[in-house]
Amino acid sequence: MSVPSQYLEKTIQEFSKLPGIGRKSASRIAFHLLGLREDESRALAQTIIDLKNNILFCRICGGISDQVECPICTDSSRDQSVLCVVENPKDVLNIEKSMHFKGRYHVLGGVISPLDGIAPEDLNIKNLLERCRNSSVKEIIIATNPTIEGDATSAFIAKLVKPSGIKVMRIARGIPVGSDLDYIDIATISRSIDERTEI
Amino acid sequence: MSVPSQYLEKTIQEFSKLPGIGRKSASRIAFHLLGLREDESRALAQTIIDLKNNILFCRICGGISDQVECPICTDSSRDQSVLCVVENPKDVLNIEKSMHFKGRYHVLGGVISPLDGIAPEDLNIKNLLERCRNSSVKEIIIATNPTIEGDATSAFIAKLVKPSGIKVMRIARGIPVGSDLDYIDIATISRSIDERTEI
């Protein structure tokens, strides 16, 4: 196939590397970019550079932030006694979207996974223990994903934190709201029966 | 919802403007970009700028090119007697992918569409007539999309070109290869019967 422009080809290749974008979508995007005004196209390029240059990791929770401490950690209206422990910065946004949790977060930066060579010391766990010791935290809610690694990480943290007398909770597993039992796997159904709640 | 970083928010907004990318995919991409090395992220930004700064429109066919004349128009091994007329530069790539057409292209830059305010003089038609007059073109194949506007544009061009004695053809409409009659609309089925070919 004759590609009439190496710049077009390069753009398609670069966009194909992004998650969820195949060659076809990348080519659609490349032609869209061609049709943009120069300032629009420059704005997109600039945000990519700005993102990389300006985002920091909050020194308290490890989540992403524009400042040394993130707006959630410095928000005095949030409940200082509850910490929600998540795998990565994106999970903070996922939980914030629900507008249901009013405490603060702690971002591990991954889960313990021997197969991927990730040990407990590679995660932001030491800081979590520090926060549990030195602050007014009374409860932690572990919200790692319900995978083998997420569960193992949760158990590992629970073991470390429990002796200090802090309540250690795990987010509930069960059937998703609005779903249909027809489409739910047996492990989830079993779990929803084990963890049944009184009406 | 607290967004912990305006740079992240800006990136999500910019990527959401791209075709086929909603806020959820954009946010997935933004977090992916955060995880890239600086040179990788800079490479993506640079291709977007390069694309806009370096791509030209071929002065012969109107397709995209890195040079004043595109590699297809200057390829002497391609058949000089057949021109395939397409709506936009992307269609050149779509047809090239099939590796079946060995002639050259002419890109209209759109179709006649009174509703969108696009008149024949807004398209690259004058140049097409010029090419038909001055070169060795013996046949044109009109490959505009099988829409009302595509068909009208095709008829308009046919009327202008035919008097010069050049053969004017339209790409065949019919059932797509590998499809199932169950899923084909009645207009296409009717067309495939009207334009039946001998076995």
Side-chain angles (χ1 to χ4, degrees), chain B residues 124-148:
Chain B
N124 192 14
I125 293 178
K126 216 182 112 195
N127 254 355
L128 172 64
L129 301 179
E130 204 80 33
R131 288 180 83 181
C132 289
R133 256 196 299 278
N134 300 334
S135 68
S136 46
V137 176
K138 292 192 172 60
E139 175 179 348
I140 69 171
I141 302 172
I142 305 181
T144 52
N145 287 318
T147 56
I148 294 176

Side-chain angles (χ1 to χ4, degrees), chain A:
Chain A
M1 175 188 166
S2 304
V3 174
S5 161
Q6 49 143 318
Y7 295 103
L8 184 77
E9 179 56 31
K10 184 93 179 61
T11 308
I12 296 173
Q13 278 173 13
E14 283 292 330
F15 273 89
S16 302
K17 293 180 192 164
L18 299 179
I21 298 189
R23 202 178 150 92
K24 200 159 184 129
S25 312
S27 134
R28 203 169 148 215
I29 289 171
F31 277 98
H32 171 84
L33 293 176
L34 261 180
L36 291 183
R37 289 196 319 269
E38 199 178 320
D39 59 315
E40 292 172 321
S41 138
R42 196 164 284 276
L44 176 63
Q46 195 58 48
T47 51
I48 295 172
I49 289 171
D50 284 349
L51 182 76
K52 199 67 199 166
N53 287 349
N54 296 302
I55 281 199
L56 304 169
F57 289 96
C58 169
R59 68 171 167 195
I60 301 175
C61 70
I64 56 165
S65 171
D66 292 344
Q67 269 84 44
V68 183
E69 295 179 357
C70 80
I72 296 175
C73 284
T74 53
D75 181 350
S76 60
S77 74
R78 295 187 75 118
D79 188 347
Q80 313 282 310
S81 68
V82 194
L83 275 191
C84 181
V85 178
V86 295
E87 290 187 18
N88 53 55
K90 200 173 176 194
D91 294 327
V92 173
L93 270 79
N94 289 333
I95 295 175
E96 281 296 285
K97 252 191 291 187
S98 74
M99 297 195 290
H100 196 68
F101 176 69
K102 300 295 179 209
R104 295 192 293 166
Y105 294 91
H106 190 84
V107 180
L108 297 173
V111 276
I112 301 167
S113 171
L115 281 177
D116 300 315
I118 304 174
E121 51 272 24
D122 297 322
L123 303 177
N124 192 15
I125 292 178
K126 214 182 112 194
N127 253 356
L128 172 64
L129 300 179
E130 204 79 34
R131 287 180 84 181
C132 289
R133 257 195 300 278
N134 301 334
S135 67
S136 46
V137 175
K138 292 195 174 56
E139 176 179 349
I140 69 170
I141 302 172
I142 305 181
T144 52
N145 286 319
T147 56
I148 293 175
E149 292 82 6
D151 285 343
T153 307
S154 167
F156 181 86
I157 292 172
K159 214 173 123 189
L160 289 176
V161 174
K162 270 192 173 165
S164 62
I166 289 171
K167 205 158 134 191
V168 181
M169 308 295 283
R170 182 86 170 100
I171 46 166
R173 265 108 4 134
I175 50 168
V177 175
S179 62
D180 185 320
L181 286 180
D182 261 0
Y183 298 106
I184 306 295
D185 62 292
I186 49 169
T188 301
I189 289 186
S190 309
R191 180 68 79 157
S192 75
I193 291 170
D194 284 349
E195 301 188 7
R196 62 194 177 278
T197 56
E198 207 176 316
I199 306 173

